[in-house]
């Protein structure tokens, strides 16, 4: 009897994994048909590869100003200096490659913090009724009306300077939007018949949340994640531009702050401002294209349009 039960359980898991593989395959095929999404994904792959290969493409000594005494300061873009140099003679393309590591790390890590908190709180607010759901909704509403950038600035000012401080600040300031989306999806799933059947058969809260609600909200969380990464990169650049980042690390926001410190925009050193600014815009645009493509696939309403 025990053997037959175990065999049935394995068979059920096998069927579930087969369905997931087919669903993932269908998702990949749909995404491949979206040209804008593929362009964004291709650009992001290139940027991520450049960031990962930074130690090989541009060794760390190229950022050491003590070894760049012969380098010209504020050299405009040319064959010798593809993106120009900064006020200390460092090549901007070197700083941009190393800065991509920090900017992408903060973007992905802060988004992960935001998604985890937003998903957990959103599912709890939609699933639990009574005072528990009411309290959670008031907390979500409070963080929704609170300006996220101001909250991130306050947290970055209070906590010690560092990359992970920025990650925590951005993550804690941006989870409420995800929680609202997850709560709305949770309420929609809660009204379906199979949830009621699960309760009648004795399923507890954690079983319903883990087996039914979480798989139902994950597609929307995934779509929202790709859109949130771009916002997190902008927030990191803003905090670094305001001097709240780690000055010892390269990031695109730090490059912009350095250009402001030497008045590059008014002094005619336009490349010092445009290069990091255009990089931030293009990466955020790429994440937006990928996010919209994913949202179109997982949202039946958008897909029908």
């Amino acid at each position: 009897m025990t053997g037959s039960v175990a065999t049935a359980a394995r068979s059920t898991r096998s069927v579930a994994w087969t369905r997931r593989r087919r669903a993932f395959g269908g998702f990949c095929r749909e995404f491949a048909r979206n040209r804008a999404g593929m362009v964004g994904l291709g650009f992001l792959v290139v940027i991520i590869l450049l960031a990962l290969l930074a130690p090989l493409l541009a060794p760390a000594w190229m950022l050491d100003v003590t070894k760049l005494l012969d380098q010209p300061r504020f050299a405009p873009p040319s064959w010798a200096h593809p993106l120009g140099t900064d006020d200390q003679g460092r090549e901007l393309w070197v700083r941009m490659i190393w800065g991509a590591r920090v900017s992408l790390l903060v973007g992905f890590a802060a988004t992960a913090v935001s998604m985890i908190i937003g998903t957990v709180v959103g599912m709890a607010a939609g699933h639990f009724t009574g005072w528990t759901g009411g309290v959670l909704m008031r907390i979500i509403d409070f963080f929704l009306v609170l300006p996220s950038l101001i909250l991130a600035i306050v947290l970055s000012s209070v906590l010690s300077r560092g990359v992970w401080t920025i990650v925590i600040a951005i993550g804690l300031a941006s989870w409420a939007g995800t929680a609202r989306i997850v709560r709305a999806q949770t309420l929609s799933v809660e009204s379906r018949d199979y949830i009621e059947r699960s309760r009648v058969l004795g399923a507890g809260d954690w079983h319903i949340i883990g087996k039914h609600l979480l798989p139902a909200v994950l597609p929307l969380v995934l779509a929202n994640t790709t859109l949130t990464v771009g916002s997190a990169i902008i927030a990191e650049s803003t905090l670094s531009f305001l001097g709240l980042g780690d000055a010892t690390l390269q990031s695109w926001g730090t490059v912009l702050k350095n250009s402001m410190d030497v008045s590059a925009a008014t002094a005619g050193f336009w490349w010092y401002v445009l290069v990091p600014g255009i990089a931030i815009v293009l990466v955020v645009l790429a994440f937006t294209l990928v996010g919209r493509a994913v949202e179109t696939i997982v949202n039946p309403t958008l897909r029908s349009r």
Side-chain angles (χ1 to χ4, degrees):
M1 185 70 177
T2 304
S4 62
V5 172
T7 302
R10 285 194 298 268
S11 177
T12 302
R13 286 193 295 268
S14 177
V15 171
W17 279 109
T18 301
R19 289 177 178 174
R20 290 167 186 167
R21 284 194 296 269
R22 289 177 179 174
F24 180 73
F27 172 84
C28 293
R29 288 190 295 272
E30 288 289 335
F31 187 89
R33 296 192 186 102
N34 191 302
R35 294 183 179 180
M38 290 299 295
V39 170
L41 181 62
F43 182 79
L44 291 178
V45 169
V46 172
I47 295 298
I48 292 173
L49 287 177
L50 289 175
L52 293 176
L53 297 175
L56 299 177
L57 299 175
W61 65 264
M62 298 182 72
L63 295 172
D64 189 352
V65 295
T66 62
K67 298 180 180 179
L68 302 173
L69 299 179
D70 297 331
Q71 280 281 89
R73 272 59 174 168
F74 295 119
S78 62
W79 287 110
H81 311 286
L83 295 180
T85 62
D86 64 4
D87 57 304
Q88 296 180 335
R90 293 171 293 184
E91 294 283 353
L92 274 185
W93 71 268
V94 175
R95 297 192 66 186
M96 293 303 297
I97 290 178
W98 281 92
R101 295 166 69 93
V102 174
S103 295
L104 291 177
L105 171 63
V106 172
F108 284 118
T111 300
V113 173
S114 174
M115 292 301 105
I116 292 173
I117 297 175
T119 302
V120 172
V121 176
M123 285 195 302
H127 176 72
F128 295 105
T129 57
W131 67 271
T132 303
V135 170
L136 291 175
M137 271 306 302
R138 299 293 79 76
I139 294 175
I140 294 174
D141 291 339
F142 172 77
F143 278 92
L144 280 175
V145 299
L146 190 67
S148 58
L149 181 58
I150 294 178
L151 178 59
I153 291 174
V154 171
L155 291 175
S156 299
S157 303
V158 172
L159 302 176
S160 59
R161 300 288 176 85
V163 172
W164 295 110
T165 297
I166 294 181
V167 169
I168 295 173
I170 297 174
L172 292 179
S174 59
W175 60 269
T178 301
R180 182 178 60 180
I181 295 174
V182 171
R183 178 181 178 272
Q185 180 68 7
T186 300
L187 292 174
S188 175
V189 175
E190 285 276 354
S191 62
R192 297 174 184 173
D193 294 337
Y194 65 87
I195 299 294
E196 186 63 30
R197 287 196 296 268
S198 297
R199 288 198 179 95
V200 172
L201 293 174
D205 292 326
W206 297 114
H207 177 85
I208 294 175
I209 291 175
K211 295 295 185 179
H212 301 298
L213 297 182
L214 183 60
V217 303
L218 276 182
L220 286 179
V221 172
L222 175 62
N224 194 49
T225 296
T226 53
L227 296 172
T228 306
V229 174
S231 300
I233 291 176
I234 293 178
E236 184 278 329
S237 301
T238 302
L239 294 177
S240 297
F241 180 77
L242 295 175
L244 298 175
D246 190 345
T248 62
L249 296 176
Q250 299 293 329
S251 76
W252 294 343
T254 302
V255 177
L256 279 175
K257 182 182 185 303
N258 295 153
S259 68
M260 180 194 68
D261 293 339
V262 297
S263 302
T266 57
F269 310 130
W270 51 269
W271 60 91
Y272 204 172
V273 180
L274 283 183
V275 169
I278 292 175
I280 293 172
V281 170
L282 290 179
V283 168
V284 172
L285 176 61
F287 274 111
T288 302
L289 292 176
V290 173
R292 292 303 182 190
V294 174
E295 188 178 24
T296 302
I297 296 172
V298 302
N299 192 328
T301 303
L302 296 178
R303 187 165 63 245
S304 63
R305 292 178 183 176

